[in-house]
Amino acid sequence: MTTALARLLGVRLPLIQAPMAGVQGSDLALAVSAAGALGSLPCAMLGADALRGELQRIAAVPGAVVNLNFFCHRPPAPDAQRDAAWRDRLAPFYRDAGLDPAMPWPPATRAPFDSQTADLIEVFRPRVVSFHFGLPDPALLARLRGWGARILSSATTVEEGLWLQEQGVDGVIAQGLEAGGHRGMFLTEDTTTQLGTFALVPQLVRRLQVPVIAAGGIADAQGVAAAMALGASGVQVGTAYLLCPEAGTSALHRAALQSPQSASTALTNVFTGRPARSIVNRAVRGLGPISPAAPAFPQAAAGIGPLRARAEAAGSADFSPLWAGQNVSGCKAVPAAEITQALARGLPPSAPDAA
Ligand SMILES: Cc1cc2nc3c(=O)[nH]c(=O)nc-3n(C[C@H](O)[C@H](O)[C@H](O)COP(=O)(O)O)c2cc1C
């Protein structure tokens, strides 16, 4: 026996390993899936070949259930004026790094879910698909539902939760302000009115009929128990998995997570153009944390790219997005199964499969 949410998602435990684009792939997802929770594959930064390769790896593991996660932003129209303003803002940092401020930028790599991607994943018929930044067009959602996929998406306000429910999602991830990575916000751009996890979860639970999954700042069994006590049907955890050997977190990112620097995180738009929570580093301090000059998501990343590459080659994380939530206390360099089992101990007895 298991909980209704776990049954809906096709797993044993009502726990989800948060998709974390750029820092993990199928290794982490499969390790979490083998431990009985829902592992996630972040797809926003994967090209078609890389995505197909990851899906083939997952398909080769009998019984593995993995959530596929996509972004669904509208790519911005080219905006030369805004790019030029960003160039001006970055110029002193380029010069300081010995780079030409006029050098060409690499392309920004975060792409939204589209019909070609739907064609690609349809072959694999994933059981769970989750979205960040709202939902794709209804026609695309209908295709996913056509093979019975369960649909999840993040809400950062009660209004967003109600909107997602109206669109027929199967569950809403309540992403509190503490969460690492991008805010999933899509009906507001106002970061000052975003809610903390323990304010957001009970309000969504009261207003929604679909299951609410708590995310943001939850790092151990007590956090899981507290979220479930507030009425959450499950919990999604990201940051606590970042030091696992199965994660692809870079050495610089791992070092920052284990340093006193990790006590200071901030919402910043300087890495991509959208607010996201990162450990504060030189880029966040020097350019933001919120810069009005940053081009729209994901174009800001293009200008930061050369600075990041130069700094990382010299062993510095000054310009790297060091995504992390406010609570890094659960980060341990242990196998993901151990983190999952520790989190599962916080599930109430009504989730009897908790290890
Ligand atoms: C490194 C990192 C990358 C993330 N990337 C994504 C992503 O690609 N898609 C997504 O839906 N959420 C992403 N998130 C947000 C998570 O889904 C989730 O909201 C968050 O991890 C929960 O808070 P916590 O980090 O405090 O556990 C990311 C979070 C982190 C820490």
Side-chain angles (χ1 to χ4, degrees), residues 85-279:
W86 193 224
R87 231 177 236 291
D88 282 351
R89 187 74 184 86
L90 297 174
F93 296 91
Y94 269 63
R95 281 192 286 271
D96 192 49
L99 294 169
D100 174 6
M103 73 185 280
W105 290 344
T109 50
R110 292 163 176 88
F113 187 69
D114 57 15
S115 60
Q116 288 94 320
T117 313
D119 291 344
L120 195 162
I121 69 170
E122 185 163 20
V123 180
F124 297 89
R125 302 170 74 88
R127 162 94 180 211
V128 187
V129 179
S130 74
F131 293 100
H132 219 39
F133 313 137
L135 288 171
D137 288 343
L140 282 175
L141 270 190
R143 288 192 57 189
L144 304 180
R145 290 212 183 88
W147 69 75
R150 310 298 188 210
I151 314 286
L152 308 176
S153 183
S154 304
T156 67
T157 62
V158 173
E159 195 194 359
E160 287 176 350
L162 288 166
W163 186 90
L164 290 172
Q165 177 171 271
E166 254 169 52
Q167 314 308 309
V169 298
D170 297 289
V172 167
I173 299 154
Q175 191 197 31
L177 189 54
E178 300 91 326
H182 285 97
R183 309 276 323 127
M185 53 205 296
F186 60 93
L187 293 181
T188 174
E189 294 187 352
D190 185 355
T191 53
T192 65
T193 53
Q194 290 279 283
L195 292 89
T197 303
F198 281 15
L200 181 60
V201 168
Q203 297 191 73
L204 282 174
V205 168
R206 215 164 296 137
R207 299 288 298 279
L208 300 186
Q209 281 79 55
V210 295
V212 173
I213 298 146
I218 301 169
D220 54 24
Q222 287 100 319
V224 171
M228 299 298 278
L230 288 175
S233 297
V235 171
Q236 174 162 303
V237 172
T239 298
Y241 284 103
L242 283 172
L243 294 182
C244 294
E246 299 94 336
T249 318
S250 70
L252 289 170
H253 196 169
R254 285 175 195 266
L257 285 162
Q258 291 171 289
S259 80
Q261 202 189 346
S262 64
S264 300
T265 66
L267 278 192
T268 180
N269 68 345
V270 304
F271 294 115
T272 65
R274 263 186 187 263
R277 186 170 295 284
S278 165
I279 295 172

Side-chain angles (χ1 to χ4, degrees), residues 266-338:
L267 278 192
T268 180
N269 68 345
V270 304
F271 294 115
T272 65
R274 263 186 187 263
R277 186 170 295 284
S278 165
I279 295 172
V280 174
N281 61 3
R282 186 172 168 213
V284 177
R285 255 193 320 271
L287 293 162
I290 299 291
S291 171
F297 181 88
Q299 180 62 6
I304 290 279
L307 282 171
R308 176 183 177 182
R310 176 60 61 99
E312 288 184 354
S316 160
D318 275 358
F319 292 95
S320 311
L322 299 171
W323 307 139
Q326 287 181 332
N327 184 0
V328 296
S329 66
C331 293
K332 294 189 180 69
V334 299
E338 257 181 62

Side-chain angles (χ1 to χ4, degrees), residues 12-13 15 29-38 241 336-341 344 353 355:
R12 190 167 58 83
L13 300 166
L15 294 175
L30 286 169
V32 171
S33 155
L38 183 64
Y241 284 103
E338 257 181 62
I339 301 275
T340 307
Q341 281 148 13
D353 286 335

